[in-house]
């Protein structure tokens, strides 16, 4: 099984100054409120209540850290960022946590990559695009999870994935690698995902394992 299954809560912070002074890689999860971010984290780590999924979108206003460790070796952290774009949240609170999210993405040196969670029925909202624009100058990788793919027909899912990949491929590279070399892996990738049907779970796990340098498909004993 994946070592991601051994993820456990580490800490929660509400200000950049409280971020843990660690040196291991971090992978951030971000997405619009109600896009299925918490459900994705839970299913990827094979745990029901690792990430808190509120019945009221926009309730989670902090950065939550989950550590990935085995036999006293700390591989890194999965970092659950506040959901964004929920209209009924008070203006001051919204400004605070969206600034927290943006500042973390731009300023955190330990950040290895961003998992951007988008509802496959409504991808690339204005706020999704704004987040991509914020993040691209860092030169880091983005992997898009097109969640709730079970709500689409097979044809609809194929079209959404193709259109998403085409849109990501049109973005300019910011990681300094040659864009004209066929051997260069893409900086921005996407996949279909469903927490309900477990669609794309292993593919997404392999992305996280690669980013955190976790031995893939390891039999981990607790």
């Amino acid at each position: 099984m994946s070592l991601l299954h051994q993820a456990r809560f580490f800490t929660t912070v509400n200000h950049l100054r409280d971020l843990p002074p660690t040196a291991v890689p971090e992978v951030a999860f971000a997405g619009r409120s109600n896009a299925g971010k918490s459900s994705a984290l839970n299913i990827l780590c094979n745990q029901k209540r690792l990430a808190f999924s509120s019945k009221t979108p926009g309730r989670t206003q902090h950065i939550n850290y989950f550590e990935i460790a085995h036999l006293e070796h700390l591989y890194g952290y999965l970092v659950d960022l506040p959901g964004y774009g929920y209209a009924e949240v008070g203006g001051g609170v919204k400004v605070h946590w969206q600034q927290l999210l943006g500042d973390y993405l731009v300023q955190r040196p330990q950040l290895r990559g961003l998992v951007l969670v988008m509802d496959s029925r409504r991808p690339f909202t204005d706020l999704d695009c704004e987040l991509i624009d914020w993040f691209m100058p860092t030169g880091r990788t983005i992997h898009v999870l097109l969640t709730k793919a079970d709500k689409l027909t097979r044809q609809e899912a194929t079209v959404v994935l193709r259109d998403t990949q085409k849109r990501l491929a049109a973005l300019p590279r910011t990681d300094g690698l040659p864009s004209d070399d066929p051997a260069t892996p893409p900086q921005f990738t996407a996949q279909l995902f469903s927490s309900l049907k477990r669609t794309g779970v292993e593919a997404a796990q392999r992305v996280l394992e690669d980013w955190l340098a976790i031995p893939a498909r390891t039999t981990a004993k607790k």
Side-chain angles (χ1 to χ4, degrees):
M1 71 177 187
S2 172
L3 289 183
L4 295 171
H5 291 184
Q6 300 210 116
R8 60 183 181 182
F9 176 77
F10 176 66
T11 190
T12 185
V13 299
N14 195 31
H15 299 279
L16 287 181
R17 63 177 181 268
D18 298 326
L19 291 173
T22 60
V24 294
E26 298 174 6
V27 174
F29 280 70
R32 187 175 174 86
S33 296
N34 212 26
K37 177 166 57 67
S38 296
S39 297
L41 268 166
N42 287 336
I43 201 72
L44 287 168
C45 297
N46 198 37
Q47 299 184 43
K48 293 182 178 180
R49 296 287 294 173
L50 180 69
F52 179 69
S53 181
S54 174
K55 293 182 179 180
T56 304
R59 179 71 60 82
T60 304
Q61 302 167 14
H62 302 81
I63 293 177
N64 294 308
Y65 271 70
F66 305 102
E67 69 175 22
I68 310 296
H70 181 54
L71 299 178
E72 300 185 357
H73 179 81
L74 177 62
Y75 289 96
Y77 296 97
L78 303 182
V79 183
D80 186 12
L81 300 177
Y84 53 84
Y86 193 64
E88 295 184 14
V89 177
V93 171
K94 184 186 299 185
V95 169
H96 168 71
W97 97 60
Q98 289 186 353
Q99 182 177 358
L100 178 66
L101 181 152
D103 288 347
Y104 169 85
L105 290 175
V106 173
Q107 298 179 21
R108 188 67 168 169
Q110 296 94 323
L111 187 58
R112 174 64 179 81
L114 170 67
V115 176
L116 178 55
V117 179
M118 296 194 294
D119 189 327
S120 59
R121 299 166 297 176
R122 294 177 290 275
F124 292 105
T125 66
D126 289 345
L127 287 171
D128 292 328
C129 294
E130 184 177 335
L131 185 65
I132 292 172
D133 288 342
W134 275 344
F135 191 70
M136 281 181 58
T138 68
R140 298 185 180 97
T141 305
I142 296 175
H143 185 65
V144 173
L145 292 186
L146 293 165
T147 58
K148 307 185 182 182
D150 55 283
K151 306 293 185 182
L152 304 176
T153 65
R154 180 173 297 182
Q155 182 178 0
E156 288 171 338
T158 299
V159 170
V160 167
L161 178 59
R162 183 184 64 224
D163 290 350
T164 298
Q165 291 173 331
K166 183 177 179 180
R167 188 160 179 171
L168 293 174
L171 296 173
R173 293 196 77 106
T174 58
D175 58 3
L177 297 178
S179 58
D180 55 352
D181 185 350
T184 303
Q187 185 180 356
F188 312 114
T189 55
Q191 67 164 100
L192 295 168
F193 192 87
S194 169
S195 298
L196 182 64
K197 300 292 186 180
R198 298 187 65 89
T199 303
V201 170
E202 288 195 6
Q205 286 175 332
R206 285 193 291 269
V207 171
L208 299 179
E209 290 165 350
D210 179 60
W211 286 0
L212 297 177
I214 295 173
R217 311 298 111 186
T218 298
T219 301
K221 296 181 180 180
K222 293 186 178 181

